[in-house]
């Protein structure tokens, strides 16, 4: 979408369409003294880092914890990974009760091993004949896994004391890595979950390709467990996003321009929170066939009943046959629509539904879902159609510039309007999952009122963008300002911090 493709600096708030274009601060106001988080509810500070920069960032935490607790860097990594990279919290817990912390982090067992080789827990040793045991050299013993007599020098164990031969350890790690497991690799003994630290694994891996794969998997696990880091979800993008405050705000990759929610990694979904949008998308996937059947691409004109296909993003429709103007969503007369727009976007709950039959309640639930889904899907389709409008505007500007009818700067307001329209419609689309899951209350009534106001201004802006000319510049820019203020007001009131 065009609104998601605007440039973003390395460390920047999510002002895709540059709020300086839509807010006239005036000459008597010092912008440097204004807290941007109070002006823009979507303000979010983040930075885009390379893999090497993130590795340095992680290593700094490892070195800090390692030197503070006087432990090996490998054990420090296990602690950090299992406790969300909270360095100061780990230092405090370690100094309070080091043994408990190590047990909780699966670095040491809750009780000391019963013997040095852990043989008492392995029935495989009993399968050796007494003759084999008598012939057993004091420098050799059987491996509990492969039951081969091996020199004691090649046995290794974790803090649990369960000893296995080098070949078995290597085979165990190789199989785990092929399955995509890295930081979760543990002891081979039954019912033992002690984790294998990084240095222990690397000393036993011989194949360079598996060593590289293991380190890649480990790095990926470290990033996933770090609350301040997230991989860019863009295809084949190696950029990582770092934010000191892990919040559900929009982050934009400076490399591939992908826009997403920093907290959950999904498409940005304000004002809907992360858990709600997951429920909504799951529901849409389950009920998509029913919804798609009912939400058709064409509708009949309410006056002359001729079939009309929607080919633009605006919901303000004009029949090409009888010129009747109506709303695409509710099919109501557009002239009386301004005052009734609140009723168009609002779902009317049945106050007596609790007393109806189970089948009636099921029908009402489907009706409610389809009300919100149809509007959700309609705005999604409008965004795609308005991408074509943006291309048309660019072509129109090129033609006017080539004909010496002004410069690119003279016509920039048309592009600004198209990008702002996409930004507003994108926010409006994600208000419907929010409204669907809201319980009836005065707060929901306020939300639906603001939602309806935003929707009305967006449709006015869409209508004007599709028909903009030079004489409409002042009116168009005024409509841009109104639409963005409606959007910002709704997010300020309902966007969860």
């Amino acid at each position: 979408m065009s609104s998601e493709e605007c440039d973003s600096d390395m460390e920047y708030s999510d002002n895709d369409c540059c709020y300086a274009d839509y807010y006239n601060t005036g000459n008597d106001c010092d912008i440097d003294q204004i807290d941007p988080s109070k002006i823009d509810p979507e303000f979010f500070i983040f930075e885009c880092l390379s893999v090497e920069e993130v590795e340095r960032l992680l290593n700094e935490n490892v070195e800090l914890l390692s030197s503070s607790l006087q432990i090996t860097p490998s054990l420090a990594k296990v602690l950090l990974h299992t406790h969300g990279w909270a360095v100061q919290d780990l230092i405090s817990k370690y100094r309070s009760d080091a043994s408990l912390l190590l047990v909780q982090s699966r670095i040491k067992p809750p009780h000391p091993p019963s013997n040095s080789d852990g043989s008492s827990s392995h029935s495989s040793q009993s399968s050796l004949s007494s003759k084999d045991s008598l012939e057993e050299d004091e420098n050799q013993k059987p491996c509990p896994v492969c039951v081969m007599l091996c020199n004691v020098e090649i046995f290794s164990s974790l803090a649990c004391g369960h000893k296995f031969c080098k070949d078995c350890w290597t085979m165990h790690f190789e199989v785990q890595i092929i399955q995509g497991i890295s930081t979760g690799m543990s002891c081979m003994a039954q019912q033992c979950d002690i984790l294998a630290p990084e240095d222990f694994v690397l000393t036993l891996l011989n194949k360079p390709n598996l060593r590289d794969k293991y380190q890649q998997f480990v790095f990926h696990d470290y990033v996933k467990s770090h609350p301040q880091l997230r991989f860019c979800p863009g295809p084949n993008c190696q950029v990582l996003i770092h934010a000191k405050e892990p919040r559900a705000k929009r982050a934009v990759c400076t490399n591939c321009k992908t826009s997403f929610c920093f907290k959950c990694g999904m498409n940005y979904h304000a004002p809907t929170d992360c858990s709600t949008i997951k429920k909504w998308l799951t529901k849409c996937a389950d009920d998509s066939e029913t919804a798609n059947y009912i939400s058709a691409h064409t509708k009949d004109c309410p006056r002359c009943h001729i079939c009309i296909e929607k080919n633009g993003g605006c919901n303000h429709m004009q029949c090409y046959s009888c010129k009747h103007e109506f709303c695409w969503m509710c099919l109501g007369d557009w002239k009386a629509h301004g005052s009734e727009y609140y009723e168009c976007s609002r779902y009317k709950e049945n106050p007596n539904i609790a007393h109806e039959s189970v089948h009636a309640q099921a029908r009402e639930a489907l009706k409610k879902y389809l009300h919100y889904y149809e509007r959700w899907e309609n705005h999604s389709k409008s965004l795609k159609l308005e991408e074509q409008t943006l291309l048309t505007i660019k072509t129109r500007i090129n033609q006017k510039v080539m004909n010496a009818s002004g410069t690119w700067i003279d016509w920039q307001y048309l592009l600004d309007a198209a990008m702002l329209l996409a930004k507003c419609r994108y926010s409006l689309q994600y208000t419907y999952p929010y409204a669907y899951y809201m319980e009836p209350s005065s707060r929901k009534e306020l939300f639906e009122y603001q939602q309806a106001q935003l929707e009305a201004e967006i449709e006015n802006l869409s209508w004007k963008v599709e028909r903009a000319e030079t004489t409409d510049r002042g009116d168009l820019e005024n409509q841009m300002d109104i639409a963005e203020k409606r959007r910002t007001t709704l997010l300020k009131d309902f966007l969860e911090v």
Side-chain angles (χ1 to χ4, degrees):
M1 299 173 193
S2 57
S3 65
E4 307 302 331
E5 296 174 354
C6 301
D7 293 336
S8 175
D9 293 330
M10 180 67 75
E11 190 167 310
Y12 197 61
S13 73
D14 173 46
N15 296 330
D16 290 353
C17 297
C18 306
Y19 74 53
D21 291 340
Y22 308 120
Y23 298 97
N24 182 11
T25 56
N27 297 327
D28 57 345
C29 181
D30 188 353
I31 294 180
D32 294 336
Q33 296 179 359
I34 298 176
D35 183 355
S37 63
K38 295 181 179 179
I39 299 175
D40 184 2
E42 297 176 297
F43 181 81
F44 185 51
I45 297 177
F46 62 90
E47 57 183 343
C48 298
L49 304 177
S50 64
V51 171
E52 293 76 16
E53 289 172 321
V54 171
E55 286 177 340
R56 286 197 295 271
L57 180 66
L58 296 177
N59 287 334
E60 288 174 4
N61 291 333
V62 171
E63 291 174 8
L64 176 59
L65 187 65
S66 178
S67 60
S68 298
L69 304 183
Q70 296 300 305
I71 59 176
T72 64
S74 188
L75 289 181
K77 289 179 180 179
V78 176
L79 286 172
L80 288 166
H81 176 252
T82 55
H83 291 82
W85 297 82
V87 178
Q88 297 303 322
D89 187 42
L90 280 169
I91 293 174
S92 176
K93 288 182 178 179
Y94 188 88
R95 290 173 177 170
S96 175
D97 192 337
S99 180
L100 177 62
L101 177 63
L102 294 176
V103 169
Q104 292 176 340
S105 304
R106 296 167 58 188
I107 292 175
K108 63 176 287 187
H111 305 289
S114 57
N115 53 54
S116 60
D117 59 3
S119 59
S120 62
S121 62
H122 298 280
S123 60
S124 57
Q125 279 188 274
S126 63
S127 64
L128 293 175
S129 65
S130 59
K131 181 180 179 181
D132 291 332
S133 300
L134 291 172
E135 293 177 355
E136 192 175 302
D137 191 289
E138 64 177 1
N139 293 323
Q140 290 185 323
K141 66 177 183 179
C143 172
V145 173
C146 64
V147 201
M148 297 291 292
L149 284 174
C150 305
N151 290 329
V152 293
E153 297 176 354
I154 68 170
F155 280 80
S156 300
S157 71
L158 299 172
C160 55
H162 299 130
K163 293 185 178 181
F164 305 95
C165 71
K166 177 181 177 181
D167 290 342
C168 287
W169 275 117
T170 302
M171 181 63 69
H172 173 65
F173 292 146
E174 288 180 354
V175 171
Q176 297 280 291
I177 293 169
I178 291 172
Q179 294 176 350
I181 302 172
S182 57
T183 54
M185 292 194 294
S186 59
C187 177
M188 287 186 284
Q190 294 179 359
Q191 298 180 344
C192 182
D193 62 352
I194 298 301
L195 295 172
E198 192 174 323
D199 58 354
F200 184 82
V201 176
L202 290 175
T203 56
L204 294 166
L205 285 178
N206 302 319
K207 299 177 182 178
N209 62 322
L210 283 178
R211 289 174 65 91
D212 293 342
K213 185 174 291 188
Y214 168 73
Q215 291 178 313
Q216 289 174 8
F217 289 160
V218 165
F219 176 75
H220 191 272
D221 285 354
Y222 288 164
V223 171
K224 287 179 66 178
S225 67
H226 202 301
Q228 297 178 354
L229 293 172
R230 183 165 291 280
F231 286 102
C232 171
N236 302 318
C237 185
Q238 300 300 312
V239 169
L240 294 98
I241 313 298
H242 174 242
K244 293 183 179 180
E245 296 183 58
R247 300 166 67 185
K249 294 296 186 77
R250 175 158 44 195
V252 183
C253 176
T254 54
N255 179 48
C256 66
K257 308 305 178 186
T258 299
S259 172
F260 62 98
C261 171
F262 181 83
K263 188 173 183 179
C264 68
M266 301 174 67
N267 288 338
Y268 183 61
H269 46 73
T272 306
D273 60 82
C274 299
S275 59
T276 300
I277 196 62
K278 287 179 182 178
K279 288 194 298 183
W280 172 257
L281 293 176
T282 300
K283 183 171 184 62
C284 288
D286 294 340
D287 298 338
S288 60
E289 291 302 321
T290 303
N292 287 333
Y293 176 79
I294 297 176
S295 179
H297 292 279
T298 60
K299 294 184 180 181
D300 291 344
C301 171
R303 175 176 291 177
C304 67
H305 306 295
I306 192 170
C307 184
I308 296 176
E309 180 179 5
K310 193 169 187 283
N311 60 1
C314 183
N315 287 320
H316 179 180
M317 307 301 293
Q318 184 179 51
C319 176
Y320 65 89
S321 177
C322 67
K323 307 303 180 184
H324 176 58
E325 297 184 33
F326 62 96
C327 171
W328 175 261
M329 295 307 301
C330 68
L331 301 180
D333 190 330
W334 191 266
K335 293 179 181 178
H337 202 257
S339 60
E340 297 177 356
Y341 210 94
Y342 175 68
E343 300 300 323
C344 176
S345 61
R346 180 183 181 182
Y347 179 75
K348 300 178 181 66
E349 300 275 357
N350 183 352
N352 301 317
I353 190 61
H355 304 291
E356 299 288 343
S357 67
V358 174
H359 293 295
Q361 291 181 24
R363 286 194 299 271
E364 182 67 19
L366 178 60
K367 180 181 176 183
K368 176 182 177 181
Y369 164 69
L370 290 175
H371 172 91
Y372 289 104
Y373 177 84
E374 185 178 20
R375 283 151 180 78
W376 155 274
E377 186 67 11
N378 175 65
H379 286 297
S380 177
K381 292 175 181 176
S382 292
L383 277 167
K384 294 176 181 178
L385 291 170
E386 281 162 358
E387 287 181 358
Q388 299 300 317
T389 301
L390 180 62
L391 294 176
T392 301
I393 289 174
K394 289 181 178 179
T395 302
R396 187 196 309 172
I397 293 175
N398 281 330
Q399 292 174 348
K400 290 183 178 295
V401 171
M402 293 298 292
N403 294 331
S405 299
T407 65
W408 261 98
I409 296 177
D410 296 329
W411 297 102
Q412 183 65 37
Y413 76 96
L414 288 179
L415 289 178
D416 292 341
M419 289 190 292
L420 177 63
L421 172 61
K423 184 177 183 179
C424 290
R425 194 178 290 283
Y426 187 89
S427 295
L428 179 62
Q429 180 187 356
Y430 281 92
T431 63
Y432 286 100
Y434 189 99
Y436 176 76
Y437 287 102
M438 284 186 83
E439 294 295 331
S441 63
S442 58
R443 181 168 174 79
K444 182 173 184 179
E445 291 179 3
L446 174 62
F447 178 81
E448 289 180 329
Y449 173 77
Q450 293 191 15
Q451 179 191 49
Q453 295 296 308
L454 173 60
E455 189 157 8
E457 300 304 342
I458 286 175
E459 296 310 329
N460 289 338
L461 178 59
S462 181
W463 179 267
K464 292 174 181 178
V465 165
E466 292 178 3
R467 293 157 179 79
E469 294 294 339
T470 52
T471 54
D472 301 323
R473 178 168 183 171
D475 186 32
L476 181 59
E477 289 182 336
N478 181 60
Q479 186 61 47
M480 290 163 60
D481 184 64
I482 294 173
E484 174 62 4
K485 285 180 178 177
R486 293 288 191 194
R487 190 187 77 91
T488 303
T489 299
L490 186 145
L491 293 180
K492 280 183 178 179
D493 290 344
F494 295 95
L495 180 60
E496 294 187 8
V497 179

